[in-house]
């Protein structure tokens, strides 16, 4: 007979997930995922960049919502949930509902609006599959722990984290749009820039300048890190802090690789920080 207790609690799963991020962090300084400016041969069959981006980002909200619904217990006798299990008896929205809505809004932008508003170089099947695996695990781990807070009202204690998250959103989206505008002027139409068949960059790239790009190479990465740190502060979940660390572990090595990429093509005068603006 199966055990009535799960093999791993949500907090244990979050700890294991954070440990995996810690193990991956140094490795990612030596091996960068081959997409965008760092695209290169030898990584499997090419896939249209827009389609690949959509397919790899979509599983995250699906996994979170599925895990949240499966693990949520509105019928718990000790629950203070109102009708439907996503508000308190007084009608206040639950912290889990607000967090899930913010998560889905982020990925609606990343999975749909982002690829539709720019041209993207090809990606590869292994990159897409690895991103799908990450997003499924991450969404499931975060959703299962968030479900345990399904009847906790969103209140004043959550507001500082929400404010930090929204600041990150502004930095991320503003930098993304600034970068798209720069590429559009250089490329004559807006987009990622032309690529040769070998997947390497053509001549349409330029060193980004203006705004936070004058202070660091990848302010859009900085914005995403701030966003998920804010989400972690808002939810106070071990899994959210693990995700924030994973964001840093993934994006900081990539930002460092991008700085080297610019230095190789435009000279050592590119002395800005990789991701930290201050």
């Amino acid at each position: 007979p199966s055990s009535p207790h799960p093999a791993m609690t949500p907090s244990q799963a979050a700890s294991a997930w954070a440990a995996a991020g810690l193990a991956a962090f140094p490795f990612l300084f030596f091996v960068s995922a081959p997409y965008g400016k760092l695209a290169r041969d030898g990584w499997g069959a090419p896939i249209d960049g827009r389609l690949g981006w959509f397919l790899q980002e979509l599983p995250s909200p699906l996994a979170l919502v599925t895990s949240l619904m499966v693990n949520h217990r509105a019928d718990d006798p000790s629950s203070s949930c109102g009708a439907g299990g996503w508000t308190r008896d007084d009608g206040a929205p639950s912290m889990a509902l607000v967090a899930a809505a913010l998560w889905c809004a982020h990925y609606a932008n990343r999975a749909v609006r982002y690829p539709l508003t720019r041209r993207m170089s090809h990606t590869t099947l292994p990159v897409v599959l690895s991103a799908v695996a990450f997003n499924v695990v991450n969404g499931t781990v975060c959703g299962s722990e968030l479900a345990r807070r399904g009847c906790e009202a969103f209140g004043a204690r959550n507001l500082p984290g929400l404010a930090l998250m929204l600041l990150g959103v502004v930095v991320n989206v503003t930098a993304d749009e600034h970068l798209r505008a720069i590429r559009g002027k250089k490329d004559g139409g807006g987009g990622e820039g032309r690529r040769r068949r070998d997947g390497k960059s053509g001549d349409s790239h330029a060193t980004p300048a203006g705004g936070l790009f004058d202070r660091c190479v990848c302010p859009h990465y900085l914005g995403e890190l701030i966003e998920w740190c804010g989400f972690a502060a808002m939810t106070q979940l071990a899994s959210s802090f693990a995700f924030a660390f994973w964001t840093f572990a993934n994006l900081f090595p990539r930002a460092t690789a991008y700085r080297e990429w610019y230095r190789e093509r435009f000279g050592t005068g590119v002395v800005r920080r990789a991701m930290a603006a201050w």
Side-chain angles (χ1 to χ4, degrees):
S2 60
S3 170
H5 301 289
M8 185 178 290
T9 66
S11 60
Q12 289 172 333
S15 297
W17 190 224
L22 185 62
F25 180 49
F27 174 76
L28 292 173
F29 279 101
F30 299 98
V31 180
S32 299
Y35 66 88
K37 297 180 184 66
L38 306 179
R40 53 196 183 276
D41 293 332
W43 284 80
I47 297 177
D48 176 78
R50 287 177 171 180
L51 176 61
W53 195 268
F54 171 76
L55 293 176
Q56 71 186 37
E57 297 293 308
L58 183 62
S60 185
L62 296 179
L64 179 106
V65 171
T66 300
S67 182
L68 193 59
M69 298 295 290
V70 167
N71 291 286
H72 182 53
R73 289 292 306 278
D75 58 345
D76 188 325
S78 64
S79 170
S80 59
C81 285
W86 296 109
T87 61
R88 290 179 60 87
D89 290 332
D90 60 5
S94 70
M95 188 273 291
L97 183 62
V98 173
L102 291 168
W103 184 290
C104 290
H106 169 88
Y107 281 100
N109 173 61
R110 298 303 291 169
V112 181
R113 192 196 72 86
Y114 183 85
L116 288 180
T117 56
R118 67 208 68 224
R119 286 182 294 178
M120 302 178 72
S121 58
H122 71 255
T123 184
T124 63
L125 183 59
V127 169
V128 172
L129 292 179
S130 63
V132 167
F134 174 88
N135 282 325
V136 168
V137 173
N138 189 60
T140 300
V141 171
C142 291
S144 64
E145 189 178 11
L146 189 60
R148 297 199 168 195
R149 308 275 288 279
C151 300
E152 177 185 313
F154 185 87
R157 67 186 180 282
N158 306 114
L159 292 178
L162 174 62
L164 184 62
M165 183 179 187
L166 294 179
L167 172 63
V169 171
V170 171
V171 172
N172 176 257
V173 173
T174 301
D176 267 340
E177 291 307 303
H178 186 75
L179 190 58
R180 185 167 72 97
I182 293 172
R183 290 167 177 168
K185 291 178 182 178
K186 185 69 177 177
D187 192 43
E192 174 71 14
R194 294 180 294 272
R195 298 268 171 180
R196 299 197 298 262
R197 288 190 178 184
D198 60 6
K200 297 179 180 178
S201 298
D203 295 328
S204 59
H205 282 288
T207 307
L212 287 178
F213 283 100
D214 289 338
R215 304 189 67 90
C216 65
V217 172
C218 297
H220 46 315
Y221 287 177
L222 173 64
E224 187 157 356
L225 176 60
I226 293 173
E227 181 179 354
W228 291 118
C229 285
F231 184 85
M234 181 187 75
T235 60
Q236 290 294 307
L237 300 175
S239 55
S240 298
F241 284 104
F243 182 25
F245 177 75
W246 259 110
T247 302
F248 171 76
N250 179 42
L251 295 184
F252 182 68
R254 191 164 184 84
T256 300
Y258 272 7
R259 181 177 60 181
E260 294 308 311
W261 187 93
Y262 282 117
R263 284 178 173 175
E264 288 175 3
R265 285 154 183 79
F266 303 109
T268 56
V270 182
V271 295
R272 287 166 281 175
R273 297 179 177 89
M275 204 168 84
W278 298 278

